Amino acid sequence: MSQSDNQPLDVLGGITAEQFLSEYWQKKPLLVRQALPEIADLLLPDDVMNLALEDEINARLIKQKDKDPSQWTVKSSPLVKGDFQKLPKQWTLLVQAVENYSFDLAELWKKFDFIPQWRRDDVMVSYAPQGGSVGQHFDFYDVFLVQGYGHRRWQLGQMCDENTEMVPRQPLKLLPEMQVHFDEVLAPGDLLYVPPGLAHYGVAEDECMTFSFGCRMPNAASIIDRFSDHFAESGKFNNPLLDIVRQLPTPTGEITQKELDYLKGYVLEQLQQSTALDGVIAAFLSEAKFPEHLPEPDELEASDLVEIVDTGYELLLEPASRLLYNMVDGQLQFWGNGEALCVAPELEVVLRNIADGQAQPFNAAFQSNDLLEDIAHLLNESILMLLPPAE
């Protein structure tokens, strides 16, 4: 964590990251007035409407019928201009991963650098006219709801889980009722943290946009799936196992408990080999959430970079990418966009700082050809980007 545990943070209303994590994180909500005033009018409704029409964007248009607002429809990407004609009174546009198209918005993730990078999901923008909503619902992930434009009324209710009853025959997972214990209107710059499982209901008081900084944990099924891919790609695991020691015959149709325990034990033994599983999990956590948002870079050579050394450029993480590291036996290991990375030792500290959210000056320290080749590779893979000097 780049910020001190004991430093009061404006984004948390003057409490420390340590206090927030111990008292609020995944436990209870937190309302902070003017937590992020710089987000106000960062994007305007037209910006989001136009972005929703782009081919690679993941967006949803949610509508409630005028004659019966309890009936909902959802249209997912691709969206076209015609989808926004003859709209009902109550509708909402959700656009995912908007930070990949707004560098200023991506930079605001640094306000939450007390949460690991791999926990970030994306920044979703919810735009709605007065009365627009996505209904009473809950999520399985943490979210910081930040008002960017207009006003939205938020109500919070009971804790829910996978067994909670849902409204039947609707395209959204909606709650039939909420036990409201929180009712506040957020203005631009205000923040509301909502932990996983807490029922919430947001309704636009006027034309408004809310930025949802979502933080999601991976599910066990995805990790097991990645590890099974690792098994499949390894020749060691593709050969038949040796049989158990057999001393007495068994019935032809029976699989004995001893045989099941042997096969299960072998698989569990492989799972317990931490170095293999650690690498699989780290690579999985470093995968880009929206790889289709990664820019198509110009193919660079080390020689192309020589002329811009010490001219004011900075190296930083490409907003649509992920770059993670861990320390193993005193050695730094890196993963970027789902792949293990091998870089020159002189680059490790720089890469760690970039993974931690710090821009690094592209200066004379990078004069060696080996370092320039590594940097060119990371730029060509869209893991890093070069920020030109301010004019």
Side-chain angles (χ1 to χ4, degrees):
M1 196 163 61
S2 62
Q3 296 176 340
S4 169
D5 291 359
N6 298 316
Q7 178 184 348
L9 301 178
D10 291 339
V11 76
L12 297 177
I15 67 173
T16 66
E18 182 179 23
Q19 184 179 352
F20 172 75
L21 294 173
S22 63
E23 297 181 16
Y24 294 89
W25 183 247
Q26 302 208 313
K27 298 181 182 73
K28 61 182 182 180
L30 175 67
L31 172 65
V32 181
R33 299 293 184 183
Q34 291 303 291
L36 277 175
E38 58 266 52
I39 205 171
D41 298 334
L42 186 63
L43 294 177
L44 298 176
D46 283 348
D47 299 325
V48 178
M49 297 279 283
N50 291 330
L51 189 59
L53 301 176
E54 297 290 332
D55 290 339
E56 69 278 9
I57 287 296
N58 186 328
R60 288 169 288 165
L61 180 60
I62 298 171
K63 297 183 287 186
Q64 294 173 260
K65 293 184 177 180
D66 286 336
K67 293 183 178 180
D68 185 2
S70 67
Q71 296 299 311
W72 303 71
T73 62
V74 179
K75 169 74 185 298
S76 297
S77 296
L79 300 178
V80 297
K81 289 184 178 179
D83 292 320
F84 296 95
Q85 296 174 357
K86 297 182 179 179
L87 289 168
K89 292 180 180 178
Q90 297 178 8
W91 59 274
T92 296
L93 175 65
L94 304 179
V95 185
Q96 304 285 158
V98 178
E99 77 274 28
N100 295 341
Y101 295 88
S102 168
F103 183 74
D104 290 335
L105 183 58
E107 284 288 282
L108 291 183
W109 268 121
K110 294 179 180 178
K111 296 291 185 177
F112 305 98
D113 64 359
F114 47 88
I115 305 300
Q117 184 198 135
W118 64 266
R119 285 285 269 110
R120 297 177 188 171
D121 195 41
D122 71 333
V123 181
M124 182 186 76
V125 174
S126 171
Y127 165 66
Q130 184 177 14
S133 166
V134 296
Q136 300 176 159
H137 68 286
F138 74 96
D139 301 307
F140 286 102
Y141 54 88
D142 305 87
V143 63
F144 297 93
L145 301 166
V146 185
Q147 195 63 23
Y149 181 91
H151 302 78
R152 191 181 294 268
R153 178 184 180 185
W154 284 102
Q155 293 179 323
L156 304 180
Q158 70 277 15
M159 293 300 295
C160 306
D161 59 26
E162 61 274 8
N163 298 316
T164 298
E165 179 186 358
M166 297 293 180
V167 177
R169 296 181 295 279
Q170 292 295 332
L172 298 170
K173 293 182 178 180
L174 301 174
L175 295 168
E177 59 182 5
M178 264 179 49
Q179 302 160 13
V180 177
H181 61 78
F182 173 100
D183 193 334
E184 296 282 351
V185 174
L186 269 65
D190 292 347
L191 174 150
L192 176 62
Y193 164 70
V194 180
L198 186 65
H200 51 285
Y201 181 36
V203 180
E205 294 278 291
D206 46 28
E207 184 182 34
C208 82
M209 290 198 308
T210 303
F211 295 80
S212 300
F213 290 76
C215 301
R216 189 189 300 262
M217 282 290 288
N219 59 60
S222 296
I223 295 175
I224 292 171
D225 183 58
R226 293 304 190 281
F227 200 65
S228 68
D229 290 342
H230 173 73
F231 269 112
E233 293 167 3
S234 173
K236 169 186 175 183
F237 300 126
N238 285 320
N239 296 323
L241 303 180
L242 293 175
D243 196 4
I244 64 171
V245 176
R246 297 188 181 276
Q247 297 175 330
L248 297 173
T250 59
T252 304
E254 181 185 9
I255 177 170
T256 68
Q257 191 60 47
K258 182 179 179 181
E259 291 167 331
L260 286 173
D261 289 344
Y262 167 71
L263 295 170
K264 181 173 62 177
Y266 179 83
V267 173
L268 292 175
E269 182 184 357
Q270 304 312 310
L271 290 173
Q272 289 171 346
Q273 292 182 1
S274 63
T275 53
L277 187 55
D278 287 355
V280 170
I281 293 175
F284 169 56
L285 295 179
S286 77
E287 290 178 0
K289 178 70 187 299
F290 293 89
E292 65 273 18
H293 291 182
L294 292 172
E296 196 68 40
D298 297 326
E299 286 297 319
L300 295 170
E301 303 288 344
S303 56
D304 298 321
L305 299 175
V306 173
E307 59 190 54
I308 64 169
V309 170
D310 259 344
T311 61
Y313 278 81
E314 291 184 314
L315 283 168
L316 65 163
L317 181 63
E318 161 60 44
S321 291
R322 288 186 178 177
L323 175 63
L324 305 177
Y325 65 86
N326 76 338
M327 188 75 72
V328 179
D329 297 329
Q331 299 294 318
L332 279 170
Q333 295 185 348
F334 293 91
W335 288 266
N337 290 349
E339 301 291 339
L341 302 177
C342 182
V343 298
E346 297 85 355
L347 193 58
E348 290 179 351
V349 173
V350 171
L351 213 54
R352 183 187 64 190
N353 291 340
I354 291 174
D356 285 338
Q358 302 174 36
Q360 298 291 285
F362 192 54
N363 54 29
F366 297 99
Q367 289 284 15
S368 86
N369 194 63
D370 286 346
L371 293 183
L372 291 176
E373 286 184 355
D374 282 346
I375 292 169
H377 172 73
L378 295 170
L379 291 169
N380 290 335
E381 293 295 316
S382 292
I383 294 171
L384 300 186
M385 64 176 287
L386 275 168
L387 187 68
E391 296 182 0

